[in-house]
Amino acid sequence: KDGDLSRRVDLDGKTGLIAALCTGLNTLLDTTVVAFADIGRVLGAMSAGDFSQRVTREYAGTFNQLKQDANATSEKLSNIIDDMARVFGGLASGDLTQRITRDTEGAFERVKQDANLSFEKLAAIIEEVRAAADALTDLEGEANRRNTRCVESLTCHKRRDNRVAARILPLRREVDGDDIGLGGDVEGTSGDPNPHGTVVLHRTRNE
């Protein structure tokens, strides 16, 4: 009852049915110790993150059932962890298409469904962000094209204004370079009536 399986029944002096019962009890204890050691090894490995360990010794009856259950538990945990590692590895590399497709049961099935749903939602969110970024890029491109057209339009107007100014400037210089006066009140000019009664203006050059 204390969990000490190291003791055995002493067979000395026992015969017949008593000897057989004691031998059977000792054999059961031996089998129990070995089976517990095998299962303990597998469980200990799982607690350390090693899911490769299995019970390989042959057992019968209840001990065989314990063996099968321990091996199945380790196998299923190994599979689900491998699937999760694959999915998260895909996420780390930018691949959001990975999913857990292995058939599972109970808690493993819930983990599978939750993981797949989480990655579906994450993929949808990232797709929405990507679409918004593409839309912003398109808007930025359109704004740049409009700015380019505005700059080109302003450049054209400036060139046109420069051509007009180039035509006006000589005329202005001619006007600014002449001292024009009406009648005799304007210094540097003299007026002589012509036959038609109008005044002809003569520009007097300063000598």
Side-chain angles (χ1 to χ4, degrees), residues 58-70:
E58 293 297 328
Y59 293 100
T62 302
F63 292 108
N64 184 62
Q65 186 62 49
L66 287 173
K67 165 188 173 180
Q68 299 300 328
D69 290 344

Side-chain angles (χ1 to χ4, degrees), residues 88-110:
F88 278 106
L91 176 63
S93 62
D95 180 9
L96 301 179
T97 63
Q98 297 294 320
R99 297 292 182 272
I100 299 175
T101 58
R102 194 188 309 271
D103 291 333
T104 53
E105 299 175 341
F108 297 115
E109 179 66 18
R110 290 196 299 273

Side-chain angles (χ1 to χ4, degrees), residues 67-202:
K67 165 188 173 180
Q68 299 300 328
D69 290 344
N71 288 344
T73 300
S74 182
E75 183 74 22
K76 289 180 180 180
L77 281 173
S78 177
N79 290 339
I80 196 68
I81 290 175
D82 286 345
D83 284 338
M84 293 293 291
R86 173 176 53 80
V87 172
F88 278 106
L91 176 63
S93 62
D95 180 9
L96 301 179
T97 63
Q98 297 294 320
R99 297 292 182 272
I100 299 175
T101 58
R102 194 188 309 271
D103 291 333
T104 53
E105 299 175 341
F108 297 115
E109 179 66 18
R110 290 196 299 273
V111 170
K112 166 187 170 180
Q113 296 297 333
D114 290 344
N116 287 344
L117 181 60
S118 297
F119 283 103
E120 288 286 351
K121 291 182 177 180
L122 181 60
I125 291 172
I126 292 178
E127 186 61 32
E128 290 178 359
V129 172
R130 183 179 301 164
D134 291 341
L136 288 175
T137 301
D138 292 340
L139 288 175
E140 181 181 5
E142 179 62 24
N144 289 336
R145 288 190 292 271
R146 289 184 179 180
N147 289 336
T148 300
R149 289 196 294 268
C150 288
V151 170
E152 291 175 349
S153 178
L154 290 173
T155 302
C156 291
H157 285 302
K158 184 176 180 181
R159 289 175 180 172
R160 184 187 63 187
D161 293 343
N162 288 339
R163 288 195 298 269
V164 172
R167 295 176 182 175
I168 294 176
L169 185 59
L171 299 176
R172 182 176 179 181
R173 287 175 178 171
E174 289 183 6
V175 172
D176 291 343
D178 292 337
D179 294 326
I180 304 300
L182 296 177
D185 294 335
V186 180
E187 183 181 357
T189 64
S190 61
D192 295 328
N194 64 11
H196 301 288
T198 61
V199 177
V200 178
L201 298 179
H202 299 284

Side-chain angles (χ1 to χ4, degrees), residues 4-11 22-23 25-34:
D4 182 6
L5 301 179
S6 63
R7 297 187 178 187
R8 298 293 182 271
V9 177
D10 188 1
L11 299 177
C22 292
T23 300
L25 179 58
N26 288 343
T27 301
L28 175 61
L29 288 172
D30 290 339
T31 303
T32 301
V33 168
V34 174

